[in-house]
Amino acid sequence: MPKTEIRPRRDIVALLCDADSKRRRDTNTWAHRDGRPFSKEEQALVFRATRVELEEVREQLARYREYRRTTEEAPEAFQRFLAPFMEQLTKKNLGNAVQLMSEDDRTEFDRLLRLVIDPVHPFAPYAF
């Protein structure tokens, strides 16, 4: 018999991603990140979560933590990346440094610059 692939249910993963990790003692339920307690239907849905769905939530949260780490380190990484180009210049400005870059260097420059200037995105299921 062929092995079937078990896929996580997106609605359960999204609900778990929006859950506050602490159970509310006042309502004896879980709550959304914004503090709203889970409805009875949401609570029942969470209790039906499979190992595959819990693993999917864990992986998504890990990707988000990696994204946050990368964005926090971006300003310093950007400076380290630019340093060798700036050392070659007598008139040190960004435009002159970019002229020294190869196509691959410019791709990395653009990636790092976006990380530095774009606002940090909040966590959302299936976004990272």
Side-chain angles (χ1 to χ4, degrees):
M1 176 175 243
K3 203 174 195 179
T4 59
E5 183 179 337
I6 300 172
R7 295 179 187 224
R9 294 169 287 183
R10 292 179 67 91
D11 57 337
I12 293 179
V13 171
L15 184 59
L16 287 168
C17 285
D18 187 43
D20 187 350
S21 61
K22 295 191 172 128
R23 191 176 176 95
R24 290 179 54 137
R25 291 180 187 254
D26 60 338
T27 61
N28 202 28
T29 64
W30 288 19
H32 293 273
R33 289 179 186 260
D34 64 7
R36 292 175 295 122
F38 277 12
S39 68
K40 288 181 182 181
E41 295 80 18
E42 290 171 327
Q43 190 74 22
L45 201 56
V46 165
F47 287 134
R48 290 195 307 265
T50 65
R51 179 174 291 180
V52 171
E53 289 149 354
L54 295 172
E55 181 63 23
E56 177 66 21
V57 171
R58 187 190 70 74
E59 290 173 8
Q60 287 195 35
L61 290 170
R63 285 192 298 271
Y64 184 69
R65 282 190 298 272
E66 177 62 18
Y67 160 76
R68 289 298 302 258
R69 184 191 63 75
T70 302
T71 58
E72 288 167 5
E73 294 174 357
E76 188 175 312
F78 189 63
Q79 290 298 322
R80 282 193 312 270
F81 173 80
L82 280 176
F85 298 104
M86 292 300 198
E87 288 174 5
Q88 297 176 47
L89 298 170
T90 51
K91 188 174 180 185
K92 300 182 186 304
N93 68 44
L94 204 50
N96 290 346
V98 170
Q99 289 179 359
L100 296 174
M101 295 179 190
S102 69
E103 188 175 328
D104 289 342
D105 291 333
R106 281 191 298 278
T107 299
E108 179 64 1
F109 171 83
D110 289 341
R111 183 187 76 82
L112 289 169
L113 183 59
R114 260 191 318 280
L115 286 170
V116 170
I117 64 175
D118 284 350
V120 174
H121 301 289
F123 177 74
Y126 296 105
F128 296 90

